[in-house]
Amino acid sequence: MSDPVFEELRFRNLSVKNRVFRSNVSGRFDNEDGSLTQTRINWECKFAKGGVGAIISSYVPVLMEGRIIAGYATIHRDDFVPLWAKLGEAVHSFGAKYILQLSHSGRQMDLPGVHNQHRPALSSTSRKEPLHGFLCQAMTKADIARTVAAFARGAWRAREAGLDGVELHAANGYLFTQFLSSGINDRTDEYGGSLANRARFLLEVVAAIRDAVGRDFHVQVKLSAIEHNNVIPWEGRGNTLADSLQVARWCETAGVDALHVSTGSLFPHPLNPPGDLPIADLAVTYDTLISSGVYGLRNFLLFRFPLLRPIFRWIWFRMKKGRPFEAISIEEARLIKAAVSIPVISTGGYQTASVVREGIASGAFDAVAIARSLIANPDLVQQWQQGADRPAVPCTYCNKCLVNAPENPMGCYEQSRFSSRDAMVEQLMSIYLVRPDLRVPSSGEV
């Protein structure tokens, strides 16, 4: 009897060799202008070599004004197409597919960089982001039209680069969420109010992408099934599962090929990624965000002083009580899958083969997307193939990788998983194996 985890997954325009996707995650590996580097190529190839069927890139902005963090590669320029083509070629050489995640931060702009410093981010609303206090201003209709065109052009560039598809990041608090969410979108025009109006921006982007790339290029959408936007107690709850089921149906009708199901209306969120929030580690790295939002200093003080940490922990962890770390949104994925006929990918702390196998067999989802468990064990898929149900040294769900990301290289920071601190650092530095050929620039390049 075949193992469903290792069966080919066929979408309308794409085939993937197994049911494991590396979910969208990365580090500050790239250049300030948005051009990608050899380090990013090395990072992605780690997971392709480890056996995943496909890689979903980290969030890739379609405009410099939509960067989430400076130092991440973008797709906002035509002359970046050859760079993305080289990355795709590298990933393909290990037998994996590569799906580019098109994104825009909206008000959730963690580290603006020099391009966006001191400039309010564009959003569906002018209400600042409630956790960090990032400032924003509501987009005009001209802003919306320009952004729709930028997403379409980004998808066209991905296709020209020979990549295998694109994903629209409409989950976890970024710009599409800010339009979709009943807890965030306070517009009174045709992009606000009813669910149909709030979904208009996303569906206009899908239509523009289809006009730009045709029907034969893979397009998927990542949605938060339930927003739980009231993690900040004075905020509205946001979209319900019933809302997301309707958006999922509209996406399918608009020509979307797959849905990637997450949860939460901001990132990080207590339920995404599931697990701990290492506040002691956060106290060391959160200073990077202090200048980004008006609540940054308040948060830093809560993290910095041990006597104040219980205040934040109570607010943050009250939603987690009784919830698992693994397969945290599986039932939401199951209901979305029942509502559409296109494949559904579920994310949420997966690292146990039998859990994934049962999820596929029971019809909860068609595939899983994994980030932290693959950061901990890039060869997780190979360990499953060799008969292990869980990796020999599993991910602890500590989320130290997440809280270190603003200042330090992306990788696993749970020292208990390594024989020594030096071994941990060696793992972190392994992707920086870069040996460029230096050259003298021409006069026109200087």
Side-chain angles (χ1 to χ4, degrees):
M1 184 175 178
S2 64
D3 186 337
V5 176
F6 299 103
E7 291 178 355
E8 182 183 40
L9 177 56
R10 294 184 179 180
F11 301 93
R12 189 167 62 87
N13 299 311
L14 178 67
S15 294
V16 175
K17 67 182 181 181
N18 60 41
R19 305 303 180 96
V20 184
F21 290 60
R22 203 292 311 279
S23 195
N24 48 297
V25 68
S26 188
R28 298 173 65 184
F29 299 147
D30 302 302
N31 295 316
E32 185 66 32
D33 67 344
S35 56
L36 64 87
T37 64
Q38 182 65 47
T39 299
R40 175 173 289 269
I41 293 175
N42 296 347
W43 168 260
E44 304 290 40
C45 285
K46 248 192 2 177
F47 305 102
K49 181 181 177 182
V52 298
I55 289 173
I56 303 171
S57 75
S58 63
Y59 37 75
V60 178
V62 297
L63 292 165
M64 287 297 270
E65 69 193 33
R67 301 182 90 172
I68 298 161
I69 294 179
Y72 275 64
T74 68
I75 192 73
H76 78 290
R77 286 166 48 177
D78 288 353
D79 59 345
F80 286 178
V81 169
L83 304 177
W84 286 105
K86 183 58 68 175
L87 187 153
E89 176 188 347
V91 169
H92 291 159
S93 73
F94 291 97
K97 301 296 174 65
Y98 197 80
I99 297 170
L100 191 76
Q101 188 184 76
L102 303 177
S103 87
H104 190 297
S105 66
R107 69 181 189 177
Q108 193 162 295
M109 186 182 292
D110 300 327
L111 300 172
V114 295
H115 290 85
N116 297 317
Q117 195 75 46
H118 309 304
R119 180 170 70 183
L122 296 178
S123 178
S124 66
T125 178
S126 294
R127 292 173 56 235
K128 58 182 173 289
E129 181 272 340
L131 179 60
H132 307 286
F134 302 139
L135 299 177
C136 62
Q137 60 187 31
M139 296 169 73
T140 66
K141 292 178 185 177
D143 292 330
I144 292 172
R146 181 169 55 85
T147 305
V148 169
F151 272 98
R153 190 66 179 177
W156 178 86
R157 292 182 185 115
R159 188 194 66 177
E160 292 300 294
L163 305 181
D164 301 294
V166 294
E167 176 175 278
L168 299 181
H169 198 343
N172 311 135
Y174 301 114
L175 182 62
F176 287 116
T177 304
Q178 292 158 38
F179 274 87
L180 286 168
S181 174
S182 62
I184 299 172
N185 186 339
D186 57 1
R187 300 177 74 96
T188 58
D189 63 5
E190 64 265 40
Y191 292 94
S194 69
L195 180 61
N197 281 355
R198 301 198 310 272
R200 189 183 305 276
F201 173 53
L202 172 61
L203 297 177
E204 285 182 351
V205 169
V206 173
I209 287 174
R210 283 298 178 214
D211 286 344
V213 302
R215 297 282 299 175
D216 297 330
F217 188 61
H218 180 79
V219 178
Q220 63 187 47
V221 171
K222 186 173 187 179
L223 290 173
S224 287
I226 304 175
E227 288 184 355
H228 303 287
N229 190 53
N230 57 326
V231 61
I232 309 298
W234 50 87
E235 293 292 308
R237 289 181 178 273
N239 284 6
T240 65
L241 180 59
D243 295 327
S244 296
L245 290 172
Q246 182 58 65
V247 173
R249 295 186 191 102
W250 285 336
C251 285
E252 180 178 19
T253 301
V256 168
D257 297 311
L259 295 167
H260 180 183
V261 178
S262 184
T263 194
S265 66
L266 53 86
F267 187 85
H269 186 279
L271 305 181
N272 178 51
D276 196 12
L277 186 67
I279 295 179
D281 293 67
L282 195 56
V284 176
T285 60
Y286 190 82
D287 61 316
T288 307
L289 276 75
I290 288 178
S291 62
S292 300
V294 297
Y295 302 145
L297 181 58
R298 175 202 69 185
N299 293 347
F300 177 72
L301 294 176
L302 288 172
F303 302 147
R304 176 67 179 82
F305 296 105
L307 289 177
L308 297 178
R309 290 174 187 172
I311 298 172
F312 185 85
R313 290 191 72 89
W314 178 83
I315 295 172
W316 193 253
F317 284 91
R318 74 188 198 283
M319 281 190 172
K320 292 195 172 197
K321 188 175 181 180
R323 291 179 177 267
F325 289 167
E326 187 165 4
I328 193 167
S329 55
I330 186 172
E331 294 309 317
E332 291 93 330
R334 186 187 307 277
L335 291 171
I336 289 177
K337 180 169 170 55
V340 298
S341 60
I342 54 179
V344 168
I345 303 163
S346 174
T347 192
Y350 293 101
Q351 68 173 333
T352 306
S354 57
V355 172
V356 177
R357 192 176 296 120
E358 171 59 23
I360 297 170
S362 69
F365 49 72
D366 297 282
V368 293
I370 302 172
R372 293 166 304 152
S373 298
L374 283 167
I375 291 173
N377 291 287
D379 65 343
L380 174 63
V381 177
Q382 293 175 345
Q383 292 191 47
W384 286 351
Q385 284 179 310
Q386 293 164 5
D389 191 39
R390 283 172 65 85
V393 187
C395 174
T396 64
Y397 303 105
C398 67
N399 287 322
K400 292 177 183 177
C401 55
L402 168 66
V403 301
N404 272 278
E407 289 188 358
N408 298 318
M410 175 56 76
C412 181
Y413 284 82
E414 180 50 86
Q415 193 168 327
S416 67
R417 299 186 64 257
F418 298 90
S419 59
S420 66
R421 177 172 174 79
D422 287 345
M424 183 186 79
V425 172
E426 183 179 358
Q427 166 263 151
L428 293 169
M429 301 306 295
S430 62
I431 58 166
Y432 295 94
L433 184 61
V434 178
R435 299 291 184 268
D437 294 325
L438 301 182
R439 63 183 180 85
V440 178
S442 68
S443 176
E445 292 173 323
V446 175

